[in-house]
């Protein structure tokens, strides 16, 4: 979708060009979201909007430093803290930001694309700016999607919610034809990235480093990933038995 948009001929119909841009933005947003969930180990409630908690309004561009590789999030422990953005995350975020070109740093990194929400938001904001109903209808007709009008007029949409993220991941899992054998869900759920990064870090660097990256206590990480230590101890026991068995009787 991104490539199709970037190679459009100059004489492309304006509305068709807008449709292609919208498709590219949606694809780039979804791609960046997956990379962030897969590699940062940030809890989905720390990254996106929680309708029941006004403090969790979703990460904004002002919270992210692509140069430093960090992102400020409102942690589970009820305070703002920096989370790491490893190298695999930087390129998708940078490309996505360039394509979106948010009008201000206060724009959410992962805005909702829900058409009903955006339509209501655009109508309300233009009316508050003194636009007459007829003028608002004409203005919206100039755009293939209200999101594009919101970008041009700096009408800041809300971030997607945690439930919205699950819907996105379900759609992406179905499109990729990924079969998930899990008792509670049939798609790649948001917490899977966090569990996966925990597994990688424990095996590569141990429980202390993994606990710092996951923003958890070492005790909790040891409990959650106890199967790794059990497997390692099993290997040690096997090696010891082999050494004993190799001793001449």
């Amino acid at each position: 979708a991104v490539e199709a948009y970037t190679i459009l001929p100059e004489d492309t119909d304006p509305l068709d060009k807008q449709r292609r841009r919208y498709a590219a933005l949606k694809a780039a947003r979804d791609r960046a979201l997956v990379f962030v969930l897969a590699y940062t180990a940030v809890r989905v409630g720390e990254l996106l909007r929680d309708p029941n908690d006004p403090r969790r309004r979703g990460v904004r561009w002002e919270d992210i430093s692509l140069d430093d590789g960090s992102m400020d999030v409102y942690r589970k422990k009820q305070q703002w803290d920096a989370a790491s953005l490893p190298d695999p995350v930087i390129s998708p975020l940078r490309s996505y930001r360039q394509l979106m070109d948010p009008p201000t740093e206060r724009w959410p990194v992962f805005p909702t694309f829900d058409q009903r929400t955006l339509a209501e938001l655009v109508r309300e904001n233009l009316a508050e700016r003194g636009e007459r109903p007829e003028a608002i209808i004409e203005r919206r007709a100039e755009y293939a999607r209200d999101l594009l009008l919101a970008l041009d007029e700096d009408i800041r949409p809300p971030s997607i919610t945690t439930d919205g993220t699950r819907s996105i991941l379900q759609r992406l899992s179905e499109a990729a034809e990924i079969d998930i054998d899990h008792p509670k869900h049939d798609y790649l759920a948001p917490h899977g990235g966090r569990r996966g990064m925990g597994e990688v870090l424990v095996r590569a660097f141990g429980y202390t480093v993994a606990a710092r990256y996951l923003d958890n206590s070492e005790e909790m990480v040891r409990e959650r990933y106890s199967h790794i230590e059990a497997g390692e101890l099993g290997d040690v026991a096997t090696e010891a038995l082999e050494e004993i068995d190799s001793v001449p009787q």
Side-chain angles (χ1 to χ4, degrees):
V2 175
E3 183 179 0
Y5 171 68
T6 56
I7 62 174
L8 283 175
E10 292 185 4
D11 59 349
T12 302
D13 178 76
L15 281 178
D16 188 37
K17 187 174 183 179
Q18 288 182 21
R19 294 186 188 97
R20 295 296 184 91
R21 184 189 177 199
Y22 178 84
L25 281 171
K26 188 173 184 179
R29 181 204 64 173
D30 292 352
R31 180 173 183 264
L33 176 62
V34 168
F35 269 79
V36 170
L37 290 173
Y39 289 104
T40 66
V42 170
R43 301 173 182 87
V44 66
E46 298 170 345
L47 181 67
L48 303 164
R49 182 170 61 93
D50 183 349
N52 299 317
D53 188 345
R55 296 169 298 178
R56 301 190 182 280
R57 35 77 165 165
V59 172
R60 297 172 177 173
W61 287 110
E62 63 184 354
D63 302 322
I64 287 183
S65 174
L66 297 178
D67 293 332
D68 295 337
S70 66
M71 174 176 62
D72 292 333
V73 296
Y74 192 74
R75 291 291 196 182
K76 185 179 180 180
K77 54 191 177 186
Q78 308 295 308
Q79 67 183 45
W80 288 89
D81 195 10
S84 298
L85 294 177
D87 283 348
V89 181
I90 301 298
S91 180
L93 276 174
R94 197 183 299 277
S95 299
Y96 167 49
R97 178 185 170 85
Q98 183 178 2
L99 185 65
M100 172 169 276
D101 191 20
T104 70
E105 293 293 302
R106 292 180 61 79
W107 264 64
V109 177
F110 302 109
T112 181
F113 276 48
D114 181 73
Q115 181 56 29
R116 287 182 297 179
T117 300
L118 290 167
E120 182 178 356
L121 184 68
V122 165
R123 284 193 294 261
E124 289 180 354
N125 274 263
L126 291 180
E128 290 174 359
R129 296 178 186 183
E131 294 280 354
R132 297 177 61 82
E134 298 82 3
I136 294 175
I137 293 174
E138 293 177 2
R139 189 84 171 104
R140 293 183 62 217
E142 298 172 2
Y143 288 83
R145 294 283 183 169
D146 283 304
L147 176 70
L148 305 179
L149 174 55
L151 279 166
D152 281 354
E153 293 293 336
D154 189 14
I155 299 173
R156 190 169 70 244
S159 166
I160 53 177
T161 63
T162 51
D163 286 342
T165 301
R166 294 182 179 90
S167 296
I168 291 172
L169 292 177
Q170 186 171 13
R171 168 172 54 81
L172 295 176
S173 298
E174 291 175 355
E177 298 182 350
I178 299 174
D179 294 325
I180 304 298
D181 183 15
H182 192 277
K184 293 184 178 180
H185 49 77
D186 57 356
Y187 62 96
L188 294 173
H191 67 269
R194 180 174 171 82
R195 293 299 299 272
M197 276 303 297
E199 184 99 7
V200 168
L201 290 168
V202 168
R203 292 184 183 279
F205 301 107
Y207 292 98
T208 301
V209 172
R212 289 177 58 193
Y213 194 83
L214 295 170
D215 189 46
N216 261 339
S217 67
E218 186 172 339
E219 180 182 3
M220 182 176 293
V221 172
R222 284 185 176 276
E223 180 181 347
R224 184 160 294 173
Y225 297 94
S226 59
H227 62 281
I228 297 178
E229 187 172 29
E232 292 173 346
L233 291 175
D235 292 339
V236 171
T238 299
E239 183 177 346
L241 290 170
E242 290 175 348
E243 289 182 5
I244 291 296
D245 290 342
S246 66
V247 175
Q249 300 296 323

